[in-house]
Amino acid sequence: MDILVLIGRILFVLIFLNSAMGHLTQTKAMAGYARSKGVPAPEAVVFGSGVLMLVGALSVLLGVWADLGALLLVVFLIPTALTVHPFWKETDPGVRQNEMLHFLKDIALAGAALMLCGLFAIAGGDLGLTWTGPLFDQD
């Protein structure tokens, strides 16, 4: 089962690693989009969210305090869903549908990250193929 969890972690973090690279290498371009969504200090937020995603994804991937890494991803996902993808504000049906898709994707990923956090906390050091046990141990 350890290998299945590792494969799942790898697949789960791919979207965050890819997105983090975009945030960190195309900060100015992505800040324009964030600005159009009303995000304050968009360049700082885009860069900071890139760092947050990168640290969280690497933590989950490598199994170094993976529970904390999963929580960092939740800290990115929930505000992003609410501020960048508020589908309920859109009047154009196509734009509304696209924003709803992204909103629900972010919420679903946040739910999966919360489950991962719980899995790491419950399994503790018994979950193999990690470098450390969880930061938030149940003991």
Side-chain angles (χ1 to χ4, degrees), residues 63-135:
V64 177
W65 290 340
D67 55 338
L68 175 61
L71 285 179
L72 292 176
L73 295 175
V74 172
V75 167
F76 163 74
L77 288 161
I78 299 294
T80 299
L82 294 170
T83 60
V84 179
H85 305 297
F87 66 91
W88 53 90
K89 293 181 178 180
E90 300 296 338
T91 55
D92 179 86
V95 173
R96 183 182 181 98
Q97 182 66 32
N98 188 48
E99 290 299 333
M100 182 185 294
L101 175 70
H102 287 291
F103 175 87
L104 292 173
K105 171 201 50 122
D106 286 353
I107 296 300
L109 286 169
L114 285 172
M115 286 188 288
L116 270 178
C117 180
L119 172 67
F120 285 115
I122 291 167
D126 293 334
L127 186 61
L129 306 175
T130 58
W131 285 9
T132 70
L135 183 61

